[in-house]
Amino acid sequence: VQLQASGGGLVQAGGSLRLSCAASGVALNRAAVAWFRQAPGMERSFVAGINRSGGRIYATDSMKGRFTISRDSATNTAYLVMNSLRPDDTAVYYCAAGSSVISSNLASQTAYAHWGLGTLVTVSS
């Protein structure tokens, strides 16, 4: 199983980015998928997740209003669209997938068996 995250970069505050997580060896439409992030000097934390039936959760109301998690079964790729980016969104973003993640554990890092290497998002003020 491989997850390859991409799409990070440098963007000005207020801008947008779309992160991609291309998967092989696991069918994302039959797995829970999540994005986590690790800001400098901080622990990795949950951003957004989508369960096997398509239900979505976000870590905060702010993220719910600015970020959208989705997946495309045709390309076996998950996405995180991030709008209205702020400097405190600066972090390395990781995608994770798991075929046996239950909805109540969607935000739990230990629930996911597969992880990508991460993509760096830098938001300048």
Side-chain angles (χ1 to χ4, degrees):
V1 175
Q2 277 194 321
L3 301 178
Q4 185 164 1
S6 62
L10 175 63
V11 63
Q12 287 189 327
S16 299
L17 282 175
R18 187 181 76 162
L19 306 184
S20 300
C21 177
S24 60
V26 59
L28 294 186
N29 63 341
R30 292 195 294 272
V33 183
W35 289 91
F36 294 81
R37 71 184 185 185
Q38 186 167 19
M42 306 289 285
E43 293 186 353
R44 189 163 60 186
S45 62
F46 174 76
V47 175
I50 181 169
N51 63 23
R52 284 176 289 179
S53 59
R56 296 168 172 84
I57 63 169
Y58 297 88
T60 66
D61 287 342
S62 172
M63 290 180 187
K64 185 177 182 179
R66 300 184 297 124
F67 296 175
T68 302
I69 186 171
S70 64
R71 62 188 168 204
D72 183 341
S73 58
T75 60
N76 205 28
T77 301
Y79 301 98
L80 183 69
V81 174
M82 304 186 293
N83 298 316
S84 302
L85 283 163
R86 309 182 313 207
D88 61 357
D89 292 317
T90 294
V92 177
Y93 284 72
Y94 299 90
C95 61
S99 300
S100 57
V101 179
I102 59 176
S103 293
S104 59
N105 283 346
L106 210 54
S108 172
Q109 296 186 53
T110 59
Y112 293 89
H114 313 297
W115 289 82
L117 289 181
T119 185
L120 176 62
V121 172
T122 303
V123 184
S124 63
S125 57

